């Protein structure tokens, strides 16, 4: 009799543990590796780990005197790994979604680099070339980033934007389903009722 009473509770607790594990994997996507999906990417391997002061100097932020400056191309310089999965996760999602709507945007992966936009007159620039301008966007939300891109002359392709919006909607739907399954599992565990099947 005791076994019959405990069985539903144990099953619910097991489901809750699995649900927690699934959410953790979703948050980290299984590792601290950067996603290769999205816009064109270039990886830069540092020769050493610079200090914060060196990184600040390395940013070399600048803008033209003319406040109405524009540029045809831009490179998003950004770190990879755990920082991209954590504090800059909004950029990680954007790189494989909204950023793909800007044909003249490329992503340059530089470990340890906060998000910087380097606006350029040409797609490719030589080593040490700081382009037309370098703008720190690390504290910006994605809509602010897209606003500055368009204000500075970057073309947004509407067809690509539609495809990107579809990918965003699909991701949000999947995240919502996982969240709902997790909440249902928690409720089942607390009430000691039969476990709720996970959302596949």
């Amino acid at each position: 009799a005791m076994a019959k009473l405990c069985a539903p509770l144990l099953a619910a607790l097991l489901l809750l543990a699995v649900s927690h594990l699934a959410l953790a994997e979703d948050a980290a996507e299984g590792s601290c590796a950067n996603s290769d999906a999205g816009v064109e990417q270039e990886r830069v391997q540092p020769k050493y780990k610079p200090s914060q002061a060196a990184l600040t100097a390395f940013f070399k932020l600048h803008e033209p005197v003319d406040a109405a400056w524009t540029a045809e191309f831009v490179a998003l310089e950004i770190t990879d790994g755990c920082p991209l999965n954590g504090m800059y996760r909004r950029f990680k999602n954007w790189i494989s979604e909204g950023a793909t709507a800007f044909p003249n945007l490329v992503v340059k992966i530089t470990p340890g680099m906060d998000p910087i936009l380097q606006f350029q007159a040409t797609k490719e620039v030589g080593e040490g070339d700081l382009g037309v301008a370098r703008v720190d966007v690390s504290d910006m939300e994605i809509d602010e980033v897209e606003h500055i891109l368009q204000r500075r002359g970057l073309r947004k392709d509407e067809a690509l934007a539609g495809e990107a919006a579809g990918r965003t909607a699909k991701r949000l739907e999947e995240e919502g389903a996982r969240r709902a399954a997790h909440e249902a599992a928690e409720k089942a565990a607390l009430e000691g009722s039969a476990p709720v099947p996970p959302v596949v």
Side-chain angles (χ1 to χ4, degrees), residues 42-112:
E42 174 188 351
R43 185 172 296 275
V44 176
Q45 295 295 338
K47 296 180 180 178
Y48 63 94
K49 184 177 181 180
S51 66
Q52 186 57 50
L55 278 175
T56 301
F58 181 68
F59 289 163
K60 298 179 180 176
L61 306 177
H62 71 96
E63 293 188 43
V65 176
D66 182 1
W69 64 268
T70 60
E72 188 176 351
F73 299 88
V74 69
L76 170 63
E77 296 184 16
I78 193 168
T79 187
D80 60 357
C82 291
L84 190 61
N85 278 323
M87 64 189 298
Y88 295 135
R89 188 169 182 81
R90 64 190 185 281
F91 282 93
K92 176 172 182 153
N93 291 331
W94 183 67
I95 286 170
S96 60
E97 295 170 5
T100 61
F102 295 89
N104 291 345
L105 182 150
V106 297
V107 176
K108 187 175 182 180
I109 301 298
T110 304

Side-chain angles (χ1 to χ4, degrees), residues 117-186:
L117 287 178
Q118 177 166 304
F119 293 86
Q120 304 167 174
T122 57
K123 182 177 180 179
E124 303 291 339
V125 295
E127 185 175 353
D129 189 323
L130 300 178
V132 176
R134 287 174 61 81
V135 179
D136 180 7
V137 294
S138 60
D139 292 329
M140 292 186 184
E141 295 301 322
I142 295 305
D143 58 345
E144 296 176 287
V145 175
E146 292 201 359
H147 175 73
I148 193 173
L149 287 174
Q150 293 181 280
R151 183 162 62 92
R152 294 308 182 186
L154 269 292
R155 179 176 64 87
K156 185 173 185 178
D157 185 288
E158 292 305 320
L160 294 176
E163 294 175 5
R167 287 193 294 275
T168 299
K170 182 179 179 181
R171 173 177 59 81
L172 293 175
E173 182 181 355
E174 291 172 349
E175 288 176 355
R178 284 192 290 271
R179 193 175 299 110
H182 171 70
E183 291 172 354
E186 280 191 326

Side-chain angles (χ1 to χ4, degrees), residues 6-38:
C6 292
L9 179 59
L10 289 174
L13 289 173
L14 179 61
L15 179 60
L16 179 60
V18 172
S19 178
H20 274 291
L21 181 60
L23 285 179
E25 289 178 349
D26 179 53
E29 293 198 358
S31 71
C32 288
N34 177 52
S35 170
D36 293 328

